[in-house]
Structures are given as structure tokens and as C-alpha cells.
Amino acid sequence: MPSESLRFETLEALKNSPKGKLNYSPDWLEKGEVNTPTISGEIQEESVVSPVASPPPAISVLSPRATQMAGCIRMCERKHKAKVELSLRLEQQERLVATVSSCESEQLKRYEELMELKQRQEYQSMRDMMEKETQESLGRQEKLREEHRHRMKILNLRLREAEQQRLREAELERQRQVEGRERHRAINAIQEEVLQLNQLLQPRPSTQTDPALDHTPYITRGNQLCSQVSDVVPASADGQFPSVEDLTVAERALQEMRSLVRNLQGEEAQALKNMRQALKEAMCNVNITNEIKQILISYAGLQTGADESTLKWYSALQDAANQCAQACDELSRAKDTQTKKLKMELQKAATTPVSQIANISGAPLKEAFEKIDKLLSSRPVTSAGKTVSASQHPQGLEFVSYKLAEKFVKQGEEEVASNHSAAFPIAAVASGIWELHPKIGELILAHLHKKCPYAVPHYPPMERGTSVEDYQKILGYRVDDSKVEGQDSFLKRMSGMIRLYAAIIQMRWPYTGKQGPHPHGLNHGWRWLAQILNMEPLADITATILFDFLEVCGNALMKLYRGQFWKLILLIYEEYFPRIEAVTSTGQMGSVTRLKQFLEVSVWFQAPNIIFS
């Protein structure tokens, strides 16, 4: 029934409630207890309560409902008791399990401790055994080392003795080798000096024309001395060293060779002195031109720059070049495509034939000349497969004239500077074009003087307000990004342009029928040479340009002026050259040496041919 189930639930709830935890006893009525607490109001109503004093024991009679309730209570208490007993058994079991687990854990710890102890004991035993073996091994090794040290000590003593013996022998051999090589080097140096001195015994250009000086005895004895020295050299070339006796023989030969050279030089000096005196006496009978007279008169105080007339001529040429450049300015600065194309074609037509002139001759040279002549005559020419003419633009002729003159000078600056022989074909074409078109000659001189003022000749002074870079450009140096070109490069370019100028003043175009005077002939070269000698020399520069000029056109000047030219050469050698040496430092002696050798050969080899003719 539902009410019965609710009763059990009510009893269970009261059982678990803090206020309902009552102990039920079924013997309450049997014992005669009154006002027994009840579980619920329903039970209280059904209980029998006696107000009378305790009667004798009697059998209590409960109602069925009370009996049922009591049974329920008993069943509930049994269940509760069973649960409590079960809980106690579980707790006992857990305590037993914990106790057993604790015992087993302790036993395991003891076992592990025992195993660790055994391992430590085994490890200690093994370590003791290894230490014992190590000590025994160390003892054996120490014993072996001791024996080895003893053996090494004995061996080292023997090796030291052997090494000392070897060093003593090596030192003796080295000393012998050093002394032998010293004697070998000494004999080689002696042989080299003897051969060089023997060259000095040969006749030189400055003395071979003197019949009073005979070199034959000196040459014969010099050859004998060279043979004596050579006899002791082959022996040392086979790995053997010359002996002290061989060195003594070579030194004696050297001393005798030196004496021969000194004696010969003394005779040569006397011969040169006699020849110089004879040359001066012969030159006194030669007519002197006004230029040389001017040099001789003013030589006590040389100028530091060009004279006034030369500067006026120089300025007039520069003005003419500037006017030509301004006249073709519109064409030079053209921006439209057609005009720019025409400008490039005209420039190629002007510069290409000049670029092709180097060492060519005959028909190719004549072809280049004719192309240039046609272009300057406003006739059509073919260049790079295209036909072009200066008449195609009002400024065309001025433009090609300016570019052509500029290219001629550039060829001297670059081509002639590297290839000296190219000066003559280029000068022949330039001279021929100059003769047909005089304006080209003026423009060539203007470009030449601008790039090489020493061709004027002119040493431009530094004016106030002029920067160092600008002044270096005026002197002819190339300056790129404030970096000035080296002195060797500068002198090479100046040399090329001076050589071109010296070639132009003597060359004529060979394929022309005109026999008129040269448009800028040797008289201008004579004037240039006279003015150079009237100016104070510049270090490195004067010696370079003077040597280049004389080497190229000295022969032509000699043929034209003859005795007066030799007078001028003698003046350069005796008076002007010492001034050049005085302003030249040690590192700039290359050009000075070349000039000196040229002057010596010219004065003492060529001049006597005129004196004694």
C-alpha cells in the first residue's frame, strides 16, 4: 500500500534527522513505562498510557497497526545495524589493508636498502680491485719510464755529441761556401765591371773623328784583360768556387783596366778640349743671324715668358678660333633630330679621314687627303655609307673646319705621343690642307697653343684670382674631378704635340703641283727655337720639348741654316743646357739625359764635318 511505503520513508527521514534520532525499544510496554516518546503523533494516539501505579506484569496487546509499525521499526533498525556492521567491517578491512600495505612497503624499502648496500659493496670491491690494478700498472709504467729515461739519456748524449760534430762540420762547410760564394760574386762583379770598362775603351761619336786619338792599343789590352778574367770564371760555373789565387788575378786585371780607362779618358778630354776650341774658332767665321745675336745679347738675363709680339700673335689665333666656334654654335647646340643627325654626319666626315692617318702612305693617304679637301670645298663626300656636304647647313663649313683642326691636334696628342713615326704622314696631310685652306692652319695653331702653350712658346703666369685647377688646365694638364694627371702622362702628350708641330713646319704635301712657299715653314721653327732659348727653362718640360723638337726637325734646320744652326746647338750645349740641369731634380733626369746625349752627338760628331770641310 502507498501509505506503508510512506511510513518507511518517514521513519527513515526521522532517523536521519537531528531531532528524530530516537531509540525505539519494543519492551517499553512490558516494562510498564508511561509517556514513552513516540515516533509520530499517530503512534502516540494508539499507545496505551496508564495513570495507575505500576501494575504487575501483564501481557501487552498492541493494535495491528502498532504491531506493523513496530515491525517496520525493527526492520529499519536491522538494516541500519547491518549497515553499521558492514561499515565497521569495511573500516576494519581498510585498516587491515593499510596495515598490510604499510608492512609490505617497509619490507620493500628494506629490500631496496639491502640491494643498494650489496651494490655499494660490490662497487667498492670492484673499485678497490681497480685501484689496486691501477697502482700496480702505474708502478710498472713508472718503472718502464725510468728505464726509458735512462736509455734516452744515454741516447741523447750520443745524439748531442753527433749533432755537435755535424754542426761543426756544417759550420766549416758553410763558412767555406760563404767564402766561395763571396769570391764567386766578387769575380762576377769584377768581370761585369771589366766588360763595362772595356766598352768605355771603344771609340765614341764625340771622339772617333779625331785622327790624333788612337784607341787600338787600349782596345787590345782591354780584350786581353777581359780574357784573363774570363779564364777563372768557367771553373766556378761547374759548382766549384774560385780560389783566392783566382780572385787575386781578377782584381789585378780590374785595377789595370781602370788605369787604362783613366788614361784614355784623359786623352779624350784633351781631344775634346782641342775640338771645342777648333769649333769655336771655326764658328767665329760663320755669319750670325739676328735671332742668334738677340740670344747672345740678352742671355745674361733670360725672360720668364714670351715677348709681346708672340703674345699678340697667340691672342689673335685664339680670338679667331673663338669666333669660329661662335659662328657654328647654333649647329653645335642643335636639339632637333634632323640637325643633330646632320651635325654627327659632318663630324664623322671631318674626323674619320684624320683618324685613319697613322703610318699609311701612297694611295690611302692621298684618298684621305682628297676626302678632307672635298669636305672643306663644300663638295659631297661619302662617310659611313652616307653622302654629306658642308653646304647642307649655313654653319656647316665653319663646323667642319673647327672639328678638323681639333682632330689634327688630338692626333698629335694621342697617336703621335704613342707612335712617333705617325707625326710625318699626319703633318704631310695637315700641311697640304693648310696650303689649300689657310684658315685650317690658323685653327690648328690655335688648338695646338691652347692644349700645349709650349708650342707658342709661352709659359703662362698664374694670374690673381685663378684657382690651382684652372691654372693647371692653362698649363696643359688634364684635370678630371679635381684629379690632375700624372707628370709622365702630361709630358707624353706635350711631346706628341711638339713632334707634330716640328713635323708640320718641314713637311709638304707631295701630290700637289704647287711650288709656293710653305704656309708655316722652317723659319717659324727657327723663331720657336730662338724664343725658347730666350726664356728661363722649366724643370722637366723644357728638356722634353727641346729634345723632341730637335730630334724631329733638327736635320731640316741644319740643312737650311747650316753653320748658324751649329752655332745655336753649341750655344745650347755650353750655355743653356747647364741652366736646364740647374732647375732639374734627381727624379726628372730622364729627359735631361736624352737631351744631353743628343747634344753631345750633334756637337762632337756632326759639327766637325762642317768645320773641317
Side-chain angles (χ1 to χ4, degrees):
M1 296 177 64
S3 60
E4 291 180 358
S5 62
L6 292 174
R7 288 175 186 164
F8 282 105
E9 293 177 0
T10 303
L11 289 174
E12 185 66 27
L14 290 173
K15 175 75 175 168
N16 295 330
S17 173
K19 294 183 180 181
K21 291 183 179 181
L22 304 177
N23 294 322
Y24 170 75
S25 176
D27 299 330
W28 283 347
L29 293 178
E30 294 178 0
K31 292 179 181 181
E33 293 182 0
V34 188
N35 298 329
T36 303
T38 59
I39 301 304
S40 63
E42 196 174 322
I43 299 175
Q44 189 176 357
E45 292 177 359
E46 295 182 358
S47 299
V48 178
V49 180
S50 177
V52 186
S54 297
I59 299 173
S60 63
V61 181
L62 298 176
S63 63
R65 190 172 184 180
T67 302
Q68 186 180 3
M69 180 61 65
C72 291
I73 292 172
R74 286 192 184 94
M75 288 177 65
C76 182
E77 285 195 351
R78 286 192 194 101
K79 289 181 180 179
H80 180 70
K81 185 175 180 180
K83 288 182 179 180
V84 170
E85 289 177 355
L86 180 60
S87 176
L88 290 175
R89 284 197 297 274
L90 288 174
E91 290 178 358
Q92 290 176 358
Q93 187 68 28
E94 289 177 356
R95 285 195 295 271
L96 179 61
V97 170
T99 302
V100 171
S101 176
S102 176
C103 291
E104 290 180 352
S105 177
E106 289 296 327
Q107 290 178 1
L108 181 61
K109 288 181 180 179
R110 302 290 85 77
Y111 178 77
E112 290 178 350
E113 291 174 356
L114 179 62
M115 293 302 295
E116 289 180 358
L117 177 61
K118 288 183 178 181
Q119 289 180 354
R120 288 196 300 271
Q121 289 174 349
E122 291 178 358
Y123 175 75
Q124 184 64 35
S125 175
M126 187 179 294
R127 188 171 64 181
D128 293 342
M129 184 176 61
M130 291 178 64
E131 289 180 354
K132 182 178 180 182
E133 291 180 355
T134 302
Q135 292 297 329
E136 292 176 355
S137 176
L138 291 175
R140 289 193 297 270
Q141 291 179 3
E142 183 64 27
K143 184 177 180 181
L144 290 174
R145 281 196 294 269
E146 186 64 28
E147 293 177 357
H148 179 70
R149 283 194 293 269
H150 180 68
R151 287 195 296 270
M152 289 299 297
K153 185 177 181 181
I154 296 174
L155 182 59
N156 287 336
L157 289 174
R158 293 176 181 174
L159 289 175
R160 190 177 297 111
E161 292 176 357
E163 181 66 16
Q164 290 176 353
Q165 180 65 23
R166 186 189 67 80
L167 290 176
R168 285 193 294 269
E169 293 176 357
E171 180 63 22
L172 292 175
E173 179 63 21
R174 188 189 66 82
Q175 187 66 27
R176 189 184 70 83
Q177 294 279 344
V178 169
E179 293 175 354
R181 282 193 292 270
E182 286 295 330
R183 290 194 297 271
H184 197 175
R185 281 193 293 268
I187 284 186
N188 288 337
I190 289 173
Q191 185 182 28
E192 181 180 5
E193 186 175 354
V194 166
L195 293 174
Q196 291 176 352
L197 293 174
N198 189 55
Q199 292 294 325
L200 298 178
L201 298 177
Q202 304 300 321
R204 290 183 295 171
S206 59
T207 58
Q208 64 182 1
T209 56
D210 186 3
L213 184 59
D214 185 11
H215 289 74
T216 304
Y218 293 97
I219 294 174
T220 302
R221 184 53 185 164
N223 291 332
Q224 293 174 356
L225 294 175
C226 289
S227 299
Q228 289 181 9
V229 176
S230 299
D231 290 340
V232 297
V233 174
S236 61
D238 298 332
Q240 301 177 359
F241 295 110
S243 63
V244 178
E245 292 77 9
D246 294 335
L247 182 60
T248 303
V249 171
E251 289 176 346
R252 289 175 181 173
L254 176 61
Q255 294 297 329
E256 187 175 351
M257 180 66 78
R258 288 173 178 171
S259 298
L260 282 176
V261 172
R262 283 195 298 269
N263 295 336
L264 178 60
Q265 287 177 345
E267 293 187 15
E268 286 180 348
Q270 185 62 38
L272 291 175
K273 183 178 180 182
N274 296 336
M275 185 178 292
R276 184 182 291 110
Q277 185 63 32
L279 180 61
K280 288 183 178 181
E281 293 175 357
M283 285 300 177
C284 290
N285 299 323
V286 179
N287 293 328
I288 301 176
T289 62
N290 293 331
E291 288 84 352
I292 297 182
K293 288 181 180 179
Q294 183 180 1
I295 295 171
L296 295 175
I297 292 172
S298 62
Y299 215 78
L302 296 182
Q303 303 173 2
T304 57
D307 56 31
E308 185 177 354
S309 61
T310 302
L311 291 177
K312 287 182 179 180
W313 175 60
Y314 165 76
S315 300
L317 291 174
Q318 296 302 314
D319 291 341
N322 292 334
Q323 290 175 4
C324 182
Q326 292 174 2
C328 61
D329 184 67
E330 180 181 345
L331 180 58
S332 300
R333 298 175 179 271
K335 295 183 179 180
D336 60 287
T337 306
Q338 190 66 25
T339 308
K340 287 175 66 176
K341 183 179 179 181
L342 176 62
K343 181 190 73 172
M344 294 302 297
E345 292 176 354
L346 289 173
Q347 184 169 342
K348 287 182 180 179
T351 58
T352 302
V354 181
S355 300
Q356 295 172 350
I357 306 170
N359 292 323
I360 64 175
S361 60
L365 187 65
K366 187 176 181 181
E367 182 180 356
F369 178 87
E370 289 176 351
K371 283 185 177 182
I372 298 172
D373 182 36
K374 286 181 180 180
L375 185 64
L376 294 174
S377 301
S378 298
R379 287 182 288 173
V381 294
T382 302
S383 176
K386 297 180 181 180
T387 302
V388 66
S389 173
S391 60
Q392 292 179 252
H393 193 277
Q395 301 175 0
L397 185 58
E398 297 288 342
F399 179 77
V400 296
S401 299
Y402 190 86
K403 291 298 180 181
L404 184 65
E406 185 180 48
K407 185 62 178 178
F408 270 116
V409 176
K410 190 173 183 181
Q411 283 295 95
E413 183 182 16
E414 297 176 356
E415 182 67 30
V416 179
S418 302
N419 181 15
H420 292 171
S421 60
F424 296 99
I426 297 173
V429 175
S431 177
I433 295 297
W434 192 336
E435 190 171 355
L436 297 177
H437 307 276
K439 184 176 181 180
I440 297 298
E442 295 179 357
L443 293 175
I444 290 176
L445 288 177
H447 282 291
L448 180 65
H449 293 171
K450 186 175 182 180
K451 287 192 172 184
C452 179
Y454 315 104
V456 177
H458 177 43
Y459 303 155
M462 186 173 182
E463 299 179 356
R464 180 178 298 179
T466 305
S467 64
V468 177
E469 291 183 7
D470 292 339
Y471 183 60
Q472 288 172 330
K473 291 180 181 179
I474 294 173
L475 293 178
Y477 287 90
R478 283 178 176 171
V479 181
D480 296 326
D481 296 332
S482 300
K483 185 177 181 181
V484 184
E485 69 173 325
Q487 187 71 3
D488 291 341
S489 174
F490 166 74
L491 292 175
K492 184 179 180 180
R493 292 191 302 107
M494 297 301 109
S495 173
M497 288 184 280
I498 289 295
R499 284 178 176 273
L500 178 62
Y501 179 67
I504 287 176
I505 62 177
Q506 62 176 308
M507 294 297 294
R508 298 295 300 268
W509 179 245
Y511 303 105
T512 181
K514 293 185 178 181
Q515 299 295 327
H518 195 292
H520 194 80
L522 286 171
N523 59 314
H524 290 274
W526 184 259
R527 178 196 60 82
W528 183 89
L529 191 57
Q531 290 191 355
I532 278 286
L533 299 180
N534 266 315
M535 300 168 66
E536 286 288 354
L538 297 179
D540 223 7
I541 297 174
T542 303
T544 299
I545 62 176
L546 198 56
F547 168 74
D548 293 324
F549 185 86
L550 290 174
E551 188 178 48
V552 174
C553 71
N555 187 58
L557 290 172
M558 184 271 294
K559 290 180 179 179
L560 180 63
Y561 294 97
R562 299 189 63 81
Q564 297 182 25
F565 175 77
W566 292 117
K567 187 73 173 182
L568 195 62
I569 291 296
L570 182 62
L571 179 69
I572 295 173
Y573 182 70
E574 292 191 342
E575 302 292 340
Y576 196 71
F577 184 75
R579 291 176 177 263
I580 295 177
E581 286 184 312
V583 299
T584 305
S585 61
T586 306
Q588 301 171 328
M589 294 301 294
S591 57
V592 175
T593 302
R594 289 191 294 270
L595 178 61
K596 183 178 181 180
Q597 292 174 351
F598 177 85
L599 293 174
E600 285 182 348
V601 172
S602 299
V603 171
W604 309 122
F605 180 66
Q606 296 291 348
N609 294 334
I610 298 176
I611 295 173
F612 299 111
S613 61

